Amino acid sequence: MNIQSLFLVLALVLTTAELQAQQFDGGIATYQSKTSFDFENFGSREMSEQMKKQFAERMKSRLEKTFTLSFTKDESIYEEEEKLETPGTGGGMRFMGGGFSQGGIYKNIADDVYARENDLMGKSFLVKDTLSKLDWKLEKESKMIGQYAAFKATAIRKRDVNPFEAMRRGREEDTTAVDMPKEEVITAWYTPQIPVSQGPDEYWGLPGLILEVSAGRTVILCNKIVINPKEGLDIETPKKGNKVSRAEYEEIVAEKTKEMAKRFGNGRRRGPGQ
């Protein structure tokens, strides 16, 4: 056993013993989420460089976000931290038409429940379904993330089409989309030192809290953990909105995105006085 492996094992044993010595009620983990985006190649030929620049400035603040995961052994809620808008960058997803926002992600592992409150163009939806499950493969690699010994796991899932790709497909023939991979590899790092199967976003199902996830262009990294916070935990099940399944909601979003892509495309093609 090399020195790094020995250090990982010692950290695992010591922290696990510490947790066992106290009553574990849950914790709060803070994550930084960063998504890279190809600003240079985004948009149709009709978009000017100035328009692309303005879009990039609006989106950069939205590609780096802070989230908190409040968790117990069975339940968790993953919520974005509120922050003040930078002047000139507000509006959320209004450019897509009327407004789009997503609430916190609730997961109940014991009851196999996923729930989320979303607002889409003035309508509230309660997306409630079973949990998305990944077929995790536990790898041999390990590393330290902060004070925690973390171990690698990978999974393969169907690649989601993001709203920007959907808009582009909706307003013009996208020949490059055919060549895009239909699957993506998810890489996660979890720590058995916190023995819960919770994690950020929709990720869960490993033998320890997930501290880091890499999926496509997005990296989610935990930078702070508070075990048994003094203020307690506030994990509420989302209840508001028109109840729909995940598949039903995706169909609604796809239809609304196509409508907005068509309007956006028509608006770009019309010249002055037309």
Side-chain angles (χ1 to χ4, degrees), residues 93-100 119-125 163 166-168 170-171 248-265:
M93 298 293 281
R94 289 175 191 167
F95 69 94
M96 290 182 65
F100 171 76
D119 289 326
L120 179 65
M121 298 183 184
K123 294 184 178 180
S124 297
F125 294 91
M167 285 184 67
R168 183 173 59 182
R171 68 172 183 268
E248 290 170 336
Y249 183 70
E250 288 175 355
E251 288 181 7
I252 294 170
V253 172
E255 185 61 33
K256 294 298 182 183
T257 302
K258 287 180 181 178
E259 291 177 9
M260 292 312 304
K262 187 175 180 180
R263 292 182 193 176
F264 181 80

Side-chain angles (χ1 to χ4, degrees), residues 61 258 266:
S61 64
K258 287 180 181 178
N266 290 338

Side-chain angles (χ1 to χ4, degrees):
M1 180 181 291
N2 58 36
I3 295 177
Q4 182 182 10
S5 297
L6 179 61
F7 183 68
L8 288 169
V9 170
L10 287 174
L12 180 60
V13 170
L14 290 173
T15 309
T16 302
E18 183 181 346
L19 281 176
Q20 289 176 343
Q22 60 178 315
Q23 180 180 352
F24 175 73
D25 297 320
I28 299 176
T30 303
Y31 294 84
Q32 296 293 325
S33 174
K34 294 186 178 182
T35 302
S36 60
F37 189 80
D38 187 1
F39 292 107
E40 292 295 326
N41 296 318
F42 174 77
S44 65
R45 300 189 188 103
E46 293 134 354
M47 286 187 73
S48 66
E49 290 303 315
Q50 181 63 25
M51 291 174 61
K52 290 182 180 181
K53 184 178 179 181
Q54 291 175 350
F55 174 80
E57 290 175 352
R58 278 178 168 267
M59 289 302 297
K60 278 183 179 179
S61 64
R62 303 188 179 281
L63 296 176
E64 297 184 7
K65 298 182 178 182
T66 302
F67 294 85
T68 57
L69 177 75
S70 301
F71 63 90
T72 63
K73 182 179 178 181
D74 295 330
E75 293 182 285
S76 69
I77 186 78
Y78 184 68
E79 301 173 295
E80 182 180 355
E81 285 192 352
E82 295 183 4
K83 61 181 178 180
L84 294 175
E85 294 284 357
T86 302
T89 62
M93 298 293 281
R94 289 175 191 167
F95 69 94
M96 290 182 65
F100 171 76
S101 64
Q102 295 179 301
I105 296 175
Y106 171 84
K107 300 190 293 287
N108 187 316
I109 295 174
D111 297 333
D112 192 19
V113 172
Y114 163 95
R116 190 174 198 177
E117 295 173 358
N118 293 341
D119 289 326
L120 179 65
M121 298 183 184
K123 294 184 178 180
S124 297
F125 294 91
L126 173 61
V127 184
K128 196 166 185 178
D129 215 317
T130 55
L131 293 169
S132 295
K133 298 175 178 64
L134 291 173
D135 185 14
W136 292 108
K137 177 184 177 183
L138 304 186
E139 309 286 356
K140 296 181 180 179
E141 296 175 54
S142 59
K143 65 178 181 180
M144 294 297 295
I145 298 180
Q147 69 185 67
Y148 296 97
F151 297 85
K152 184 179 180 180
T154 58
I156 298 175
R157 72 175 179 188
K158 181 180 177 182
R159 183 180 178 278
D160 293 329
V161 177
N162 65 49
F164 308 112
E165 291 172 8
M167 285 184 67
R168 183 173 59 182
R169 293 184 190 191
R171 68 172 183 268
E172 61 181 29
E173 287 191 22
D174 184 6
T175 56
T176 62
V178 178
D179 300 324
M180 298 185 75
K182 293 180 172 58
E183 293 181 330
E184 62 182 357
V185 176
I186 310 299
T187 300
W189 295 85
Y190 66 95
T191 178
Q193 291 172 253
I194 303 178
V196 299
S197 291
Q198 301 286 358
D201 206 88
E202 295 193 25
Y203 303 106
W204 68 285
L206 285 169
L209 179 68
I210 298 174
L211 301 181
E212 181 179 335
V213 178
S214 297
R217 293 177 177 269
T218 299
V219 176
I220 304 172
L221 178 62
C222 180
N223 58 16
K224 180 181 178 182
I225 300 175
V226 178
I227 300 297
N228 296 337
K230 293 180 180 179
E231 65 273 19
L233 296 172
D234 184 17
I235 302 177
E236 295 184 2
T237 307
K239 298 177 181 178
K240 299 178 182 179
N242 180 28
K243 185 178 176 180
V244 293
S245 67
R246 187 185 279 105
E248 290 170 336
Y249 183 70
E250 288 175 355
E251 288 181 7
I252 294 170
V253 172
E255 185 61 33
K256 294 298 182 183
T257 302
K258 287 180 181 178
E259 291 177 9
M260 292 312 304
K262 187 175 180 180
R263 292 182 193 176
F264 181 80
N266 290 338
R268 296 269 67 81
R269 281 191 284 268
R270 285 198 299 267
Q274 292 184 330

